[in-house]
Amino acid sequence: MDDYAYMNARIRAMQGRLLGPPAYQELIARESTADLLEHLFESPYAQALELTRSRLSAPGSPLAGIGQRGTEHGSLIDRALRHELVRRLSKLRRYASDRPRELIETLALQWDTYNLKTIVRGKRANAAVEDLLASTVPVGALDEIALAELARAPTVQAVVDTIATWRYPIAQPLREGLKAYGETESLQPVEFELDRWTFAEAFKRVSAGDANDLVVRDFLRLLADKANILTALRYLHSRTALSPIEAARHFLDVKGRFTRVQFQTVVAARDLRQGLSLLGDTPYALIARKFALEESVALPRIERELEQLVLRKALALSRQDPLGIGLPIAYFEQQINEVRNLRMIVRGKALGLPPEGITEWLVSWS
């Protein structure tokens, strides 16, 4: 308990610097990204914004003068948010003693996987380096510098080769998935191999231990359930991605609440809408009810609802044991979601989306 008392007291202070849903609505109400930037300069992100602007405006910087034109406000904000995210979660690690820090690092594994998926998808789509980095969450072993180097790699194979030279264990599942990618031209095998390695490694790290290890195991099972649900629904969204047999092989069997039988039932649906409705017979019926009356169903919206569910679970863990690992889990999820929400607000403003159109894409903890 002593390991967590000091850390959790510090985390509660850090939670006080989160903006939260009311502030999101204030930002959404701003007329432009320039106005939004001005408002953020009055928030806890002011120091990060000022530091980022100073760096980018330094003599010789290729982005000198950034923030002076409307299209560049978003780039300034995104870079500042990325740096502040790294800074805050680095503080979280420093506050943690040995075992709590190990558990936090275990949870951070998922973000290395997320970032690699983002970069691989971007390479396939020939996305610009800056656009790729704007979608990453550099809070795992792959830091900002490493992700920037991977984003500059010319091909997916070059990404794999670069990670291999660093002797990162995650290079092996990426390589295995890439072999299947060459055979199917689908990124599903690549993403599954990354997920399978990530969860196997994470569960290995918490295979035995105290009540806090058990909390992390249960949370990991929820994350695996989320991944399994999305795998099934992505298959239904694009029937050419995987055959039913292949899809069944891509089930993460971690003894979660979403069982293999339920997974196979959803995969066998005739389309995405029916597959979603079949979730009504699982512990994730809330997701099915959410979209039951909507005319159209978009896969990214479903993913947002699953992220909302994960965030609620994390917050519930923090209330169940305020002197355990639950509070660090909650803060980790809150901080990452805040940065992603702020990015969404900035992009929504730049695209001219109406306030309600931006709000529906946010993941909130209220």
Side-chain angles (χ1 to χ4, degrees):
M1 183 176 296
D2 290 342
D3 289 340
Y4 290 94
Y6 170 78
M7 176 177 67
N8 286 3
R10 305 296 293 184
I11 289 174
R12 289 188 188 93
M14 292 168 70
Q15 282 180 318
R17 294 179 61 78
L18 293 168
L19 299 184
Y24 299 157
Q25 294 306 314
E26 290 182 18
L27 291 169
I28 291 171
R30 297 287 157 167
E31 293 296 325
S32 65
T33 53
D35 194 19
L36 192 154
L37 175 61
E38 181 180 349
H39 191 69
L40 281 173
F41 265 110
E42 300 172 0
S43 77
Y45 291 93
Q47 185 175 359
L49 287 162
E50 188 58 58
L51 181 60
T52 302
R53 184 163 64 180
S54 297
R55 288 172 176 170
L56 297 176
S57 301
S61 169
L63 293 176
I66 193 167
Q68 301 303 311
R69 296 184 296 277
T71 57
E72 295 175 335
H73 293 133
S75 181
L76 169 59
I77 294 171
D78 183 78
R79 285 168 177 261
L81 290 175
R82 203 158 64 230
H83 294 324
E84 185 66 3
L85 174 66
V86 172
R87 190 187 73 82
R88 291 187 183 188
L89 293 185
S90 294
K91 285 179 64 176
L92 173 61
R93 289 176 168 92
R94 289 199 301 273
Y95 293 147
S97 57
D98 295 340
R99 186 54 182 164
R101 187 183 301 116
E102 290 173 356
L103 293 179
I104 292 169
E105 297 294 350
T106 297
L107 291 168
L109 281 172
Q110 63 173 303
W111 293 105
D112 281 335
T113 297
Y114 171 88
N115 291 330
L116 283 175
K117 289 179 181 179
T118 298
I119 289 173
V120 168
R121 291 171 190 160
K123 288 298 159 190
R124 189 185 190 192
N126 294 316
V129 171
E130 186 65 21
D131 292 338
L132 271 179
L133 293 176
S135 299
T136 59
V137 182
V139 298
L142 296 171
D143 60 16
E144 285 187 282
I145 296 174
L147 291 174
E149 185 167 347
L150 294 176
R152 287 192 293 267
T155 63
V156 174
Q157 184 61 59
V159 171
V160 178
D161 293 341
T162 300
I163 295 177
T165 63
W166 296 339
R167 299 185 182 278
Y168 277 31
I170 204 169
Q172 183 58 34
L174 191 56
R175 186 180 292 113
E176 291 298 320
L178 194 58
K179 289 179 184 177
Y181 166 71
E183 298 169 359
T184 65
E185 295 188 355
S186 166
L187 289 177
Q188 289 270 20
V190 178
E191 298 190 3
F192 174 70
E193 289 299 331
L194 287 171
D195 281 336
R196 180 163 60 181
W197 178 88
T198 299
F199 283 104
E201 177 66 19
F203 277 104
K204 183 169 66 176
R205 295 184 186 186
V206 293
S207 59
D210 61 11
N212 288 296
D213 286 56
L214 179 60
V215 168
V216 173
R217 284 200 298 274
D218 286 344
F219 191 70
L220 287 169
R221 289 191 177 101
L222 172 61
L223 296 177
D225 281 353
K226 173 191 167 187
N228 282 329
I229 290 170
L230 287 173
T231 294
L233 296 180
R234 284 188 185 118
Y235 166 70
L236 295 174
H237 185 257
S238 178
R239 286 284 189 177
T240 59
L242 295 170
S243 71
I245 294 177
E246 289 173 324
R249 289 177 185 153
H250 287 202
F251 178 77
L252 297 164
D253 195 355
V254 297
K255 298 180 174 58
R257 299 173 67 210
F258 186 60
T259 67
R260 181 182 290 275
V261 171
Q262 292 166 344
F263 175 86
Q264 291 173 328
T265 300
V266 173
V267 167
R270 64 175 177 270
D271 55 29
L272 180 60
R273 180 170 286 282
Q274 186 187 41
L276 190 59
S277 69
L278 290 171
L279 287 178
D281 297 324
T282 76
Y284 297 94
L286 179 66
I287 304 298
R289 291 196 296 269
K290 174 72 178 180
F291 294 94
L293 300 178
E294 295 198 10
E295 292 183 7
S296 61
V297 179
L299 197 55
R301 285 282 313 286
I302 299 171
E303 189 165 2
R304 285 288 182 274
E305 286 302 317
L306 287 167
E307 289 166 357
Q308 185 89 53
L309 189 151
V310 168
L311 183 55
R312 288 196 202 102
K313 175 63 175 178
L315 291 171
L317 291 175
S318 71
R319 291 189 289 269
Q320 289 169 14
D321 183 8
L323 292 177
I325 193 64
L327 188 60
I329 291 174
Y331 178 73
F332 205 93
E333 292 294 326
Q334 283 178 297
Q335 183 61 74
I336 289 173
N337 273 292
E338 172 143 298
V339 167
R340 296 173 83 184
N341 284 339
L342 292 174
R343 284 173 168 176
M344 184 64 233
I345 293 170
V346 172
R347 291 169 190 169
K349 280 297 180 187
L351 292 171
L353 295 180
E356 63 274 12
I358 298 174
T359 299
E360 71 176 0
W361 288 98
L362 304 185
V363 177
S364 172
W365 56 83
S366 63

